[in-house]
Amino acid sequence: MGILKVLSLVAVLVSPAVLAVRPKLNAAPKVPGAYIVEFAENSNADSFYQTLGASGQAVEHRMDLKYDLFKGVSFKLKNVDNGNEEAAAQKIQDMPAVAKIWPVRMYPIPRDEVHWTGNSKAAMPEAALLQKRQSAGNNDTFSPHVMTQVDQLRFRGVTGAGIRVAVIDTGVDYNHPALGGCFGRGCLVSFGTDLVGDNYNGANTPVPDPDPYDNCEGHGTHVSGIIAAQTNPYGFTGAAPDVTLGAYRVFGCGGSAGNDVLISAYNQAYEDGAQIITASIGGPSGWSEDPWAVAVQRIVEKGVPCTVSAGNDGVEGQFYASTAAGGLGVASIASVDNTQAPSILLNATYTVDNSSLSAFGWTQGTPADWGNVSLPLWSVNYNTNDSANACTALPDDTPDLSNYIVLVRRGTCTFVQKVTNVAAKGARYVMFYNNVSPGSTAVTAVVPGILGVGMTSTAQGAEWIRLLSGGSSVTLNIVDPEVAQQYPVSAPNTATGGFLSTYTSWGPNYELEVKQQFSAPGGLILSTYPLDLGAYAVLSGTSMACPLAAAVYALVSEVRGTLDPKVLENVISATANPQIFNAGAGKTADYLAPVQQQGGGLIQAFDAAYTTTVLSVSSLSFNDTDNFVDTANFTITNLANTEVTYTLSNVPAGTFYTLGTSIFPDPFVNEVAPAVADIEFPQKEVTIPASGSVRVTIYPDLPVGLDGSRLPVYSGYIAMDGSDGSSLSLPYLGVAGSMIRATVLDTANTYLTTTKSAPGYAPAPGNATFALIASNATASNGTVYPAVVVSLALGSPYVRMDVVPCKNSTSKTPWHHRQPKTTEFLGLKTLGNIYGFPEHYVPRGATVSGWDGLLADGTLAPPGTYQLVVSALHIFGDNTDLADYDRVASEPFTIRYQ
Ligand SMILES: *[C@@H]1O[C@H](CO)[C@@H](O)[C@H](O)[C@H]1NC(C)=O
Ligand SMILES: *[C@@H]1O[C@H](CO)[C@@H](O)[C@H](O)[C@H]1NC(C)=O
Ligand SMILES: *[C@@H]1O[C@H](CO)[C@@H](O)[C@H](O)[C@H]1NC(C)=O
Ligand SMILES: *[C@@H]1O[C@H](CO)[C@@H](O)[C@H](O)[C@H]1NC(C)=O
Ligand SMILES: *[C@@H]1O[C@H](CO)[C@@H](O)[C@H](O)[C@H]1NC(C)=O
Ligand SMILES: *[C@@H]1O[C@H](CO)[C@@H](O)[C@H](O)[C@H]1NC(C)=O
Ligand SMILES: *[C@@H]1O[C@H](CO)[C@@H](O)[C@H](O)[C@H]1NC(C)=O
Ligand SMILES: *[C@@H]1O[C@H](CO)[C@@H](O)[C@H](O)[C@H]1NC(C)=O
Ligand SMILES: *[C@@H]1O[C@H](CO)[C@@H](O)[C@H](O)[C@H]1NC(C)=O
């Protein structure tokens, strides 16, 4: 095994729980040795590989990227066992054929919360029962559509007819009757491809085939149904059911997608004539310079709107923009919770005292080996408010529970804990009742002796407790979930309906471009699922918000007769409805949620489609205090055939501090800062003639009295109320502090460790000596390398790791006839960066980088005593000015070669 392979294994994410440092999560991991190259003008893959071959570099081809907007290849270096990876990459970058080279990074399949999935073998609900929910004609009552005015467009017969929407995801189950039942010309899913094959995991070489069938994941099938599901027994349709779908499969079964695959999928969709492209995929970045984001930006600039989910990392607090959502011109879509909590129940019955028969609904869990069970119900106690029901061992006088179905209230301890306690008394079947309205959820509690678990509603549980406590016997007659009748129910989500989902990621990006763009319902969404995985499912995530936004682009473009991404973004943003802030745990504020969380607000598709007032921008950034935009302007155009007078005003949203009392961003919920921006309007009223335009200038004033060192992000909306009854809002944001002064490097948690101490990465012992492997030799499993944990409190545009010889270096004899030759870098006498550095546009978080002695220039450092010095450039910093860096030197250590 070569050195490189050993190192690649250690360049993993640090588990924050183990390392106990503040920075969490991480950049999308790199595929070791894999690069994307973009060719210079007049170059191609043949000439590129020929030149490489001539220079003696063996490569394994990964993907051809032969596109109008991106010409290149991705490949993996071979024969780099002397650890020469970065040098080879540098050599390639210097080849005239190459315009740019990037590492291949991996992005995982989004893990959205699964609330419910159907039972693939269970009977579908009876269509007749549901027809009334769908109603006659165009009356769309599906709550995500009602929330976004999609129902009003549907009522007018707007369906996105003929518009080609590409979905980049896990593929789609096109055999699903609600997704057309076929693939290809004339089908709902009429174009697309599989770029990767089942066995692709993000790191290995993709094996494409032409069939984008979603055979193992389900994510893409759910996303596709949100856009275009056809009439079905569950009583909903997609928002734009007459579009034509394209499915571009970028995930195998499990694992991740490389950014070479993602760039390829976008370009292929673009060249296949996709008119809107959507991807519910992402990873933390915060930088619009990320290569995938740049590739999407180019497609947007060619006139194809691209929507990307904002990410489910709300817990990380501000400045956690995801890629490619963070790209310029890319519409980043935040999530609000559905006003209805849909679920699909299994029908069963119960008898009271052997007589009256009633039906009830429940949700099967795992295990689900219920069969057709008829057993009396037994409850631990009769207290319907017992907060920790069955959380402790049951009393000695508990009967043998093997011939009962045991009723247990949800709450406090885990399902497994409760089930374990009742199983100890012989229980085989457990029926939970919910402690939170509405509905029920799928429980997993695999415990020895337990055959079946399930859940029913709070109300049903209370009814049974009332009967049991009154001395009645209650017998449940469960129909085997494999054949039971299913039916959908929907309860109002009074707790969080209409509010921003607490999981939705916060912007802005590090360059203070406005992120997010707008919001759509993503929490508790019913849609299609692969037939083999249950056919229908309720999921939550920005993954579910994004396709609804893509569908709205289709509907609005049908009405307005344009697909221009800028025009559509401007009207959708201006007509969106800003929502009140939701701090989670049932706490809502009396101020608006910030633009960095909700963008323009909840999409209002009808208003966007028909507004006759159009703005020239979708948002404004006032930057930070050093780069403060004290004068801004935009144009209002009145497309109506009458004169309209607009009254302008400032509607501030909540201002939130980014940092706590340290250099670290606070997690959700960020502290509210007690001041908002003021906006001066030279003209408070603007009258615009029919078909006229007026340029409006505004003068923002920073919020006063805030602690700028904590990077408060202020935001709000410029409201425009028209004399014609129209009402528009233009989102703005800025930072009332100096980005360049913010510390980016967590020097206390940036330290020398060893590859041997994975995964905890304890500090290396003092004055450690490492016996490394010289060129061309083979490393054994026992070889221990020095490594550095680099912890970034905020993202950095440029991170170096310099090899600095200590004065007392033990190197006495020239090694391979080479003395350590140092150069000067901002006060350091350095041999240069270790290979793999410098890194550009690095997300915040902790990473471990091992070192095998190789330098960035492709030579080995001589034996000796060194310190590794990490220098991280501040946001907006000048990379030639030491004052703009944070820097820390590792403990000295000694290397020699075996
Ligand atoms: C659509 O159906 C809902 C509920 O069935 C009803 O309240 C509403 O009035 C209907 N709307 C139209 C335009 O028919
Ligand atoms: C549930 O089953 C009962 C008894 O078989 C039946 O009367 C009832 O209509 C069913 N309910 C639904 C919603 O299917
Ligand atoms: C219900 O019927 C079962 C057998 O059919 C009998 O053992 C039991 O005593 C009856 N219970 C009541 C409350 O009548
Ligand atoms: C804010 O200012 C910095 C420094 O000039 C610049 O790099 C950045 O692009 C600006 N951001 C926006 C959104 O204009
Ligand atoms: C209006 O804003 C643009 C940038 O958005 C700027 O280039 C231009 O100078 C501004 N015009 C006025 C009159 O302020
Ligand atoms: C490293 O060695 C030097 C010189 O022998 C000694 O002064 C120093 O304390 C040592 N450092 C550690 C951390 O052991
Ligand atoms: C390593 O191997 C290459 C090719 O096999 C050879 O040319 C080179 O001299 C070797 N380097 C060392 C340091 O042995
Ligand atoms: C290293 O360890 C792996 C797995 O533990 C083993 O398969 C391999 O043979 C070992 N290699 C050497 C050189 O010891
Ligand atoms: C070598 O010098 C460094 C400072 O440059 C010091 O920290 C270290 O302890 C010294 N080590 C030895 C072995 O003297």
Side-chain angles (χ1 to χ4, degrees):
M1 180 196 267
I3 293 174
L4 183 73
K5 224 161 170 198
V6 175
L7 283 173
S8 68
L9 291 176
V10 304
V12 294
L13 309 186
V14 179
S15 158
V18 180
L19 197 63
V21 297
R22 289 287 301 276
K24 286 203 271 180
L25 293 171
N26 223 294
K30 295 181 205 170
V31 179
Y35 292 88
I36 304 169
V37 150
E38 184 169 22
F39 298 140
E41 205 77 15
N42 302 325
S43 174
N44 61 36
D46 285 348
S47 61
F48 170 73
Y49 282 132
Q50 260 168 27
T51 323
L52 262 189
S55 76
Q57 180 63 59
V59 299
E60 182 189 327
H61 178 70
R62 245 173 95 95
M63 297 191 82
D64 277 313
L65 302 166
K66 277 193 219 163
Y67 301 108
D68 291 347
L69 301 183
F70 199 106
K71 293 183 175 54
V73 286
S74 68
F75 62 90
K76 223 169 156 169
L77 299 179
K78 280 167 75 172
N79 299 340
V80 287
D81 283 359
N82 58 353
N84 218 8
E85 173 192 353
E86 189 69 17
Q90 187 60 44
K91 213 157 66 188
I92 292 163
Q93 167 91 69
D94 294 343
M95 286 168 50
V98 172
K100 188 131 198 206
I101 181 167
W102 300 273
V104 175
R105 288 183 186 272
M106 295 187 284
Y107 298 92
I109 297 174
R111 291 296 158 208
D112 301 296
E113 191 183 348
V114 178
H115 300 276
W116 170 86
T117 64
N119 182 325
S120 52
K121 292 182 192 127
M124 291 291 168
E126 276 177 50
L129 185 74
L130 290 150
Q131 284 309 319
K132 64 175 192 296
R133 295 183 74 245
Q134 251 159 248
S135 226
N138 293 327
N139 192 353
D140 177 358
T141 57
F142 191 45
S143 56
H145 297 177
V146 175
M147 293 169 74
T148 52
Q149 296 183 336
V150 165
D151 62 329
Q152 294 183 40
L153 287 177
R154 296 289 298 283
F155 191 72
R156 291 209 176 184
V158 179
T159 54
I163 295 173
R164 290 164 68 84
V165 181
V167 176
I168 295 176
D169 210 298
T170 62
V172 62
D173 181 356
Y174 46 72
N175 290 330
H176 198 300
L179 292 170
C182 59
F183 172 56
R185 186 186 286 271
C187 299
L188 174 62
V189 185
S190 70
F191 63 108
T193 189
D194 176 2
L195 288 96
V196 293
D198 287 359
N199 297 327
Y200 176 65
N201 61 17
N204 53 2
T205 302
V207 182
D209 67 76
D211 182 0
Y213 180 60
D214 182 6
N215 60 334
C216 48
E217 287 293 339
H219 189 268
T221 301
H222 200 266
V223 161
S224 300
I226 291 169
I227 299 172
Q230 308 295 297
T231 303
N232 61 70
Y234 287 85
F236 69 95
T237 64
D242 289 343
V243 299
T244 298
L245 285 179
Y248 292 82
R249 184 183 183 211
V250 294
F251 293 102
C253 296
S256 295
N259 50 358
D260 54 350
V261 168
L262 291 162
I263 289 169
S264 186
Y266 265 91
N267 279 282
Q268 204 154 324
Y270 168 71
E271 294 192 0
D272 290 347
Q275 293 167 299
I276 295 169
I277 305 177
T278 189
S280 293
I281 310 171
S285 162
W287 298 103
S288 54
E289 289 86 349
D290 170 89
W292 174 27
V294 169
V296 181
Q297 179 187 341
R298 288 181 193 166
I299 290 171
V300 174
E301 284 165 359
K302 287 288 179 186
V304 175
C306 291
T307 50
V308 181
S309 51
N312 298 341
D313 292 320
V315 67
E316 299 298 327
Q318 300 194 133
F319 287 103
Y320 215 73
S322 176
T323 191
L328 296 180
V330 180
S332 178
I333 311 301
S335 169
V336 300
D337 286 351
N338 197 343
T339 52
Q340 292 281 318
S343 52
I344 285 78
L345 301 180
L346 294 165
N347 197 5
T349 59
Y350 65 97
T351 51
V352 181
D353 295 332
N354 286 359
S355 53
S356 71
L357 181 84
S358 314
F360 74 100
W362 67 291
T363 304
Q364 70 178 103
T366 307
D369 199 3
W370 286 86
N372 290 319
V373 175
S374 271
L375 286 174
L377 198 61
W378 184 88
S379 179
V380 175
N381 61 32
Y382 297 150
N383 176 4
T384 52
N385 293 314
D386 184 4
S387 58
N389 199 219
C391 283
T392 52
L394 303 193
D396 290 345
D397 62 358
T398 303
D400 173 13
L401 299 179
S402 59
N403 283 318
Y404 290 99
I405 293 171
V406 182
L407 183 64
V408 177
R409 185 173 187 261
R410 179 184 191 178
T412 302
C413 60
T414 63
F415 293 122
V416 169
Q417 181 67 56
K418 290 168 187 265
V419 170
T420 303
N421 288 333
V422 298
K425 297 294 179 184
R428 297 180 295 154
Y429 302 102
V430 182
M431 182 66 72
F432 285 94
Y433 65 103
N434 215 343
N435 61 343
V436 284
S437 290
S440 52
T441 187
V443 173
T444 297
V446 179
V447 169
I450 296 294
L451 298 176
V453 295
M455 188 185 283
T456 190
S457 67
T458 308
Q460 187 61 62
E463 171 64 8
W464 286 336
I465 294 286
R466 187 187 67 79
L467 291 164
L468 292 173
S469 64
S472 292
S473 78
V474 176
T475 299
L476 305 193
N477 312 300
I478 303 287
V479 183
D480 188 335
E482 299 216 340
V483 296
Q485 188 76 45
Q486 300 183 78
Y487 63 99
V489 290
S490 190
N493 174 15
T494 48
T496 63
F499 290 104
L500 272 289
S501 309
T502 54
Y503 56 73
T504 202
S505 293
W506 292 45
N509 67 20
Y510 290 123
E511 318 216 37
L512 306 189
E513 285 136 4
V514 175
K515 290 291 165 185
Q516 317 312 330
Q517 266 58 53
F518 15 77
S519 315
L524 295 169
I525 306 298
L526 171 64
S527 184
T528 46
Y529 220 46
L531 294 173
D532 287 348
L533 299 177
Y536 294 88
V538 176
L539 267 57
S540 284
T542 53
S543 290
M544 283 66 244
C546 183
L548 184 54
V552 167
Y553 267 89
L555 300 177
V556 174
S557 75
E558 181 181 340
V559 173
R560 300 198 76 93
T562 177
L563 274 156
D564 185 321
K566 209 165 147 41
V567 169
L568 293 176
E569 184 178 301
N570 293 353
V571 292
I572 295 172
S573 178
T575 54
N577 258 350
Q579 304 294 298
I580 294 289
F581 183 60
N582 167 25
K587 285 189 229 121
T588 51
D590 56 2
Y591 46 82
L592 293 175
V595 170
Q596 60 270 29
Q597 187 190 28
Q598 70 168 332
L602 181 58
I603 287 175
Q604 299 296 295
F606 183 89
D607 293 346
Y610 291 105
T611 182
T612 51
T613 311
V614 176
L615 307 182
S616 59
V617 293
S618 62
S619 62
L620 297 171
S621 168
F622 301 147
N623 219 313
D624 68 352
T625 47
D626 300 320
N627 305 285
F628 184 51
V629 177
D630 60 3
T631 309
N633 67 75
F634 58 94
T635 301
I636 309 177
T637 300
N638 173 17
L639 300 174
N641 48 21
T642 51
E643 174 184 286
V644 180
T645 298
Y646 298 93
T647 308
L648 306 187
S649 60
N650 174 30
V651 183
T655 303
F656 291 84
Y657 281 120
T658 302
L659 308 180
T661 49
S662 66
I663 61 171
F664 301 103
D666 272 341
F668 185 87
V669 178
N670 288 57
E671 185 183 331
V672 179
V676 295
D678 194 18
I679 310 268
E680 291 170 49
F681 299 97
Q683 301 162 271
K684 278 208 157 33
E685 293 203 337
V686 182
T687 299
I688 309 179
S691 306
S693 286
V694 165
R695 181 161 286 272
V696 175
T697 299
I698 60 165
Y699 304 108
D701 288 322
L702 286 164
V704 290
L706 301 183
D707 179 353
S709 70
R710 294 179 60 193
L711 301 181
V713 183
Y714 62 90
S715 66
Y717 300 86
I718 295 164
M720 284 154 266
D721 292 313
S723 54
D724 60 348
S726 63
S727 166
L728 301 182
S729 53
L730 176 62
Y732 66 81
L733 66 70
V735 170
S738 165
M739 296 306 289
I740 200 173
R741 287 208 209 141
T743 301
V744 295
L745 185 64
D746 173 14
T747 52
N749 289 302
T750 296
Y751 60 91
L752 186 73
T753 181
T754 75
T755 55
K756 196 179 67 178
S757 67
Y761 294 109
N767 297 325
T769 294
F770 296 89
L772 305 182
I773 314 297
S775 183
N776 291 6
T778 304
S780 76
N781 284 350
T783 307
V784 177
Y785 298 91
V788 176
V789 176
V790 177
S791 298
L792 288 173
L794 287 174
S796 169
Y798 182 70
V799 177
R800 292 178 61 102
M801 195 178 301
D802 281 286
V803 181
V804 176
C806 294
K807 294 214 177 58
N808 52 8
S809 177
T810 54
S811 180
K812 293 201 179 65
T813 52
W815 184 73
H816 289 195
H817 312 289
R818 193 174 166 282
Q819 292 284 4
K821 266 202 217 107
T822 60
T823 55
E824 168 98 7
F825 169 71
L826 298 179
L828 290 180
K829 287 202 167 18
T830 170
L831 297 185
N833 280 288
I834 72 165
Y835 93 87
F837 282 80
E839 290 192 318
H840 297 270
Y841 301 111
V842 187
R844 77 189 198 217
T847 43
V848 183
S849 298
W851 187 43
D852 63 354
L854 192 73
L855 300 169
D857 68 0
T859 63
L860 281 177
T865 301
Y866 297 102
Q867 288 175 291
L868 293 177
V869 178
V870 179
S871 308
L873 185 64
H874 289 187
I875 296 160
F876 298 161
D878 170 358
N879 67 9
T880 64
D881 185 351
L882 181 59
D884 288 355
Y885 284 89
D886 297 324
R887 182 179 272 182
V888 65
S890 74
E891 286 293 311
F893 61 96
T894 301
I895 59 167
R896 60 185 176 78
Y897 293 93
Q898 295 176 21

